[in-house]
């Protein structure tokens, strides 16, 4: 089992910055990658992912503004969010996935980001 705990959400004005963190615990050696998704009414969109091979993917709406990184222990992933827009508002969920010892897909409890005009 892999458990995820997010932190760093909050209220920020448009144009501002926030950094989200997500720390994994449990069977972290099974993790193949970690990432962030944003929940808005009716949909959950990709924000960014970071795979063990160093592959990084960003959602189209955040390219050039957000940056994902991971610590050397591979148990914490960060999301640096710059030039925030009101449409970035939502609940941000951390995700970890892997297939060693059986496929899994774990989610955190979510952290809320609110961007005001």
């Amino acid at each position: 089992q892999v458990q995820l705990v997010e932190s760093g959400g909050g209220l920020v004005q448009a144009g501002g910055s926030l950094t989200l963190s997500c720390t994994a615990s449990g069977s972290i050696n099974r993790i193949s990658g970690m990432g962030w998704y944003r929940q808005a009414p009716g949909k959950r969109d990709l924000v960014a992912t970071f795979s063990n091979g160093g592959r990084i993917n960003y959602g189209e709406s955040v390219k050039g503004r957000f940056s994902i990184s991971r610590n050397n222990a591979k148990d914490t992933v960060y999301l640096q969010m710059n030039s925030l827009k009101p449409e970035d508002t939502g609940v941000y969920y951390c995700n970890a996935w892997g297939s060693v010892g059986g496929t899994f897909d774990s989610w955190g409890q979510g952290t809320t980001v609110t961007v005001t005009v």
Side-chain angles (χ1 to χ4, degrees), residues 103-115:
T103 300
F104 75 92
D105 191 31
S106 296
W107 294 88
Q109 80 286 355
T111 186
T112 300
V113 173
T114 303
V115 184

Side-chain angles (χ1 to χ4, degrees), residues 26-47:
S27 302
I28 59 174
N29 59 316
R30 298 179 59 204
I31 295 174
S32 296
M34 297 177 69
W36 294 93
Y37 289 77
R38 177 172 62 224
Q39 182 79 47
K43 60 178 182 175
R44 183 172 290 190
D45 294 328
L46 165 70
V47 176

Side-chain angles (χ1 to χ4, degrees), residues 3-28:
Q3 296 80 39
L4 303 172
V5 177
E6 303 113 328
S7 62
L11 181 69
V12 64
Q13 285 189 325
S17 299
L18 278 176
T19 301
L20 305 183
S21 300
C22 173
T23 298
S25 61
S27 302
I28 59 174

Side-chain angles (χ1 to χ4, degrees), residues 28-29 70-76:
I28 59 174
N29 59 316
R70 191 174 65 179
N71 68 347
N72 289 335
K74 300 181 180 179
D75 63 354
T76 299

Side-chain angles (χ1 to χ4, degrees), residues 36-100:
W36 294 93
Y37 289 77
R38 177 172 62 224
Q39 182 79 47
K43 60 178 182 175
R44 183 172 290 190
D45 294 328
L46 165 70
V47 176
T49 59
F50 193 121
S51 302
N52 283 354
R55 181 174 181 177
I56 293 175
N57 286 316
Y58 291 103
E60 285 298 322
S61 66
V62 306
K63 285 182 179 178
R65 299 187 297 123
F66 291 13
S67 177
I68 190 170
S69 60
R70 191 174 65 179
N71 68 347
N72 289 335
K74 300 181 180 179
D75 63 354
T76 299
V77 65
Y78 305 94
L79 184 69
Q80 176 66 43
M81 305 185 292
N82 298 324
S83 302
L84 282 161
K85 304 175 181 180
E87 51 263 45
D88 295 320
T89 294
V91 181
Y92 284 68
Y93 290 92
C94 182
N95 172 244
W97 71 92
S99 58
V100 176

